[in-house]
Amino acid sequence: MPVSFNFGEDNRAELFEGQPKTPVTLLTGFLGAGKTTLLKGLLENQSGVRIGVVVNDVAAVNIDSQLVRRCESGLVEVTELQNGCVCCSSADDLFTAVQNLVMRSKYTPFEHILVELSGVGEPESIKKNWAFGLDCGMPVTLRTEVKRVITVVDASVFTQDWLDTRLATNRNVANEVGHEPKKATRFDEVGQLLAEQIEWADVIVVNKLDLASQEELRVTLQVVAALNSRATIFETQFGAVLPSTVLPEVPCGSVKAESGQGDGYSW
């Protein structure tokens, strides 16, 4: 069923002209690259900013006691898709999930929204869907904007994946929650999808240095730089990066009071 939003006169497009939008960051990478570990690290070290998160499976994030306290204080809101996964197959579920986050903080917007894509997620398609939604006047796109793509690469298996001619869905979908195999990607082969995720990245996290040999790391960095010379590259273990180095800058006017209440939620 197509998604529809009814927010009344307060959500007319003209009312949002010139207003700062909450930046949305797409977190992409193959199954096992370390996306969820990186996401969890960002949530545990977000330095006081309020972050909304969209994931395929909340349980997979393994929210511990520290994150529970942050959720209770309103610094973190996590939601999962009701149907399917975050990939290129349908924009409706993603728009709905992000809009739910936006409406939870109607009067005090999140300073960041993070979307963890599935292993077969195509950032190009997601960004095009957002642009199309804006052209159509979808309310969620009036309040948010895709500002950054972070791609996580596993240095220990990159060379194998780069030359892998299997179907991308066979490589990335086997253990992912909610993905429907019938929704194929535009890219048939593993290497093609890997190239697309890297080419569309603003930030590339070359992860699992502890498991990669020097030669594997050298080849990975060489290919990544050749595919995308403009992206900022971080070399990490366990996806350890500082939020301030990978998340987009919060627009002026979007930083709100540390506490408040709205739509049945408090922070």
Side-chain angles (χ1 to χ4, degrees):
M1 179 181 297
V3 66
S4 61
F5 301 115
N6 181 16
F7 299 128
E9 293 298 313
D10 290 341
N11 288 273
R12 289 176 296 163
E14 57 267 27
L15 297 179
F16 291 89
E17 292 182 1
Q19 297 297 315
K21 296 184 177 183
T22 301
V24 175
T25 295
L26 306 179
L27 180 59
T28 185
F30 277 10
L31 182 67
K35 298 189 302 292
T36 302
T37 301
L38 186 146
L39 172 62
K40 189 167 179 287
L42 293 177
L43 297 182
E44 292 172 341
N45 299 280
Q46 84 265 40
S47 303
V49 299
R50 300 184 65 238
I51 298 179
V53 183
V54 178
V55 295
N56 291 324
D57 181 19
V58 170
V61 181
N62 189 25
I63 297 179
D64 58 19
S65 58
Q66 182 180 6
L67 279 183
V68 168
R69 288 194 295 272
R70 290 174 183 267
C71 290
E72 289 175 347
S73 67
L75 286 174
V76 174
E77 284 278 0
V78 182
T79 188
E80 64 182 355
L81 295 188
Q82 297 302 309
N83 300 290
C85 70
V86 189
C87 61
C88 70
S89 56
S90 172
D92 289 356
D93 289 339
L94 180 55
F95 282 145
T96 300
V98 173
Q99 189 62 60
N100 286 341
L101 285 174
V102 170
M103 293 307 293
R104 289 181 188 181
S105 56
K106 183 176 181 181
Y107 302 106
T108 304
F110 289 104
E111 287 139 328
H112 290 290
I113 292 178
L114 281 168
V115 178
E116 183 185 10
L117 274 60
S118 71
V120 293
E122 300 171 22
E124 178 185 8
S125 296
I126 300 295
K127 294 186 75 171
K128 287 182 177 179
N129 285 337
W130 227 269
F132 180 74
L134 182 61
D135 290 340
C136 295
M138 294 191 70
V140 64
T141 62
L142 300 177
R143 298 190 178 197
T144 63
E145 181 180 11
V146 178
K147 293 291 290 184
R148 185 155 296 178
V149 176
I150 301 174
T151 296
V152 185
V153 173
D154 183 349
S156 69
V157 299
F158 179 85
T159 53
Q160 296 98 294
D161 285 338
W162 180 243
L163 300 175
D164 195 336
T165 58
R166 288 181 298 163
L167 292 176
T169 49
N170 291 343
R171 161 65 173 82
N172 285 304
V173 176
N175 298 313
E176 293 214 53
V177 174
H179 186 86
E180 298 179 27
K182 64 181 180 181
K183 297 178 179 179
T185 66
R186 292 181 298 117
F187 299 94
D188 290 332
E189 296 181 359
V190 171
Q192 292 176 317
L193 179 59
L194 180 60
E196 198 247 5
Q197 291 182 350
I198 293 172
E199 288 171 348
W200 278 85
D202 302 296
V203 174
I204 300 171
V205 178
V206 179
N207 195 29
K208 300 193 176 181
L209 299 189
D210 53 318
L211 301 179
S213 67
Q214 290 186 349
E215 180 63 12
E216 288 172 335
L217 177 59
R218 184 191 68 79
V219 173
T220 299
L221 292 173
Q222 186 176 28
V223 175
V224 165
L227 289 172
N228 189 338
S229 60
R230 62 177 176 79
T232 302
I233 299 175
F234 294 93
E235 302 175 31
T236 67
Q237 297 180 34
F238 307 106
V241 291
L242 293 175
S244 60
T245 62
V246 297
L247 295 180
E249 183 177 356
V250 180
C252 294
S254 291
V255 179
K256 303 295 183 179
E258 293 185 359
S259 62
Q261 190 169 1
D263 282 7
Y265 294 85
S266 60
W267 57 88

